[in-house]
């Protein structure tokens, strides 16, 4: 797989296997992928939650029980429509059902978001290095809906070694004009791109992005900085 200038190569990581509580995701990924320095590994929230034991027992057919799980994970409920709850989580994410996932988990269980997804990403990064792997960036992704637009896309809920936001304010555009407000959500874009090769039904829980420019790497603003503060959010 070759990535040249202005080119990204994205490939799914198969062979991770069924993840169970206590598993070392970094070691599993290092063993399943031929990683290189400066790769970016995108990992789905689902297997992170499984590895961290963020699973709860719930009867999928019990609407009231499902609702109670969601409400326990929410710090604020914004909207309700039928069984759908739009809620804010302790992380500051505004999403459906407070990020509680009832799909692709064993019947009778639900997966909760990791307690600290940025720390989860760092743990995976450290695990890859401890297993003899190279220095990589890591993004933990999850599937969100979007206000005013149909469809779902993956976004970053955690990252390590890669910038969540690339701040271009003060730099010049192609015409030489100074950019005043441009901040690029690099981690979100990586998550969305990686989902194209992972899919929802292929059993591929992670992907490698190769060819990222040096400007995308670093330990600056983390994924916890991506949610817009409520005071600046015109949609709440």
């Amino acid at each position: 797989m070759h990535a040249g200038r202005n080119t990204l190569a994205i490939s799914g990581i198969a062979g991770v296997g069924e993840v169970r509580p206590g598993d070392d995701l970094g070691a599993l990924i290092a063993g399943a992928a031929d990683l290189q320095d400066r790769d970016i590994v995108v990992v789905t929230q689902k297997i992170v939650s499984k590895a961290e034991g963020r699973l709860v027992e719930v009867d999928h057919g019990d609407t009231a029980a499902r609702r109670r799980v969601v409400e326990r994970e929410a710090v604020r409920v914004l909207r309700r429509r039928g069984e759908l709850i739009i809620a804010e989580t302790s992380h500051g994410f505004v999403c459906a059902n407070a990020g509680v996932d009832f799909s692709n988990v064993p019947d009778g269980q639900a997966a909760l978001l990791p307690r600290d997804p940025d720390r989860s990403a760092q743990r995976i990064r450290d695990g890859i290095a401890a297993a003899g792997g190279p220095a990589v960036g890591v993004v933990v992704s999850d599937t969100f809906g979007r206000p005013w637009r149909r469809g779902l896309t993956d976004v970053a809920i955690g990252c390590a070694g890669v910038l969540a936001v690339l701040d271009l304010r003060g730099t010049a555009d192609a015409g030489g004009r100074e950019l005043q407000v441009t901040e690029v959500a690099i981690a979100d874009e990586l998550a969305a791109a990686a989902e194209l090769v992972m899919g929802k039904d292929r059993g591929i829980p992670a992907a490698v992005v190769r060819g990222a420019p040096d400007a995308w790497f670093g330990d600056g603003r983390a994924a916890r900085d991506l949610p817009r503060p409520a005071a600046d959010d015109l949609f709440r």
Side-chain angles (χ1 to χ4, degrees):
M1 180 170 57
H2 175 73
R5 186 178 181 183
N6 296 325
T7 300
L8 292 178
I10 308 172
S11 58
I13 301 176
V16 172
E18 181 63 28
V19 174
R20 295 176 174 81
D23 280 350
D24 183 339
L25 280 184
L28 291 177
I29 290 169
D34 181 18
L35 299 174
Q36 299 179 10
D37 282 341
R38 312 296 275 180
D39 281 347
I40 298 173
V41 177
V42 181
V43 186
T44 59
Q45 162 268 325
K46 189 70 59 61
I47 65 168
V48 176
S49 293
K50 287 181 177 180
E52 295 182 359
R54 293 286 286 159
L55 302 170
V56 295
E57 301 295 324
V58 60
D59 180 354
H60 288 196
D62 187 336
T63 301
R66 288 164 56 109
R67 183 176 63 250
R68 286 193 295 270
V69 172
V70 170
E71 290 174 344
R72 283 200 303 267
E73 290 301 299
V75 297
R76 186 163 65 103
V77 173
L78 281 74
R79 298 285 188 277
R80 295 179 188 266
R81 188 180 66 190
E83 295 183 23
L84 176 64
I85 298 175
I86 303 299
E88 181 178 348
T89 73
S90 61
H91 320 78
F93 305 140
V94 175
C95 54
N97 295 327
V100 178
D101 203 333
F102 299 96
S103 64
N104 292 319
V105 291
D107 190 35
Q109 291 186 334
L112 311 180
L113 292 178
R115 296 188 187 279
D116 185 340
D118 287 315
R119 182 175 295 178
S120 300
Q122 185 62 55
R123 189 179 297 116
I124 294 168
R125 188 181 188 219
D126 291 343
I128 291 171
V136 300
V138 174
V139 172
V140 177
S141 68
D142 196 9
T143 303
F144 278 33
R146 300 163 297 162
W148 319 129
R149 298 183 69 84
R150 292 181 183 274
L152 304 170
T153 188
D154 274 25
V155 301
I157 63 169
C159 62
V162 60
L163 299 179
V165 177
L166 180 63
D167 190 348
L168 297 179
R169 293 174 295 179
T171 65
D173 66 11
R177 293 176 292 273
E178 183 177 333
L179 297 172
Q180 301 292 328
V181 297
T182 304
E183 295 180 283
V184 181
I186 290 296
D188 281 346
E189 293 186 335
L190 287 165
E195 198 279 330
L196 293 173
V197 301
M198 292 189 290
K200 304 299 183 193
D201 56 359
R202 301 173 193 163
I204 299 177
V208 179
V209 180
R210 187 162 294 166
D214 290 344
W216 294 5
F217 291 89
D219 292 309
R221 295 169 69 180
R224 62 178 170 271
D225 299 318
L226 283 168
R228 191 182 299 277
D232 298 333
D233 192 339
L234 299 180
F235 303 102
R236 290 201 222 180

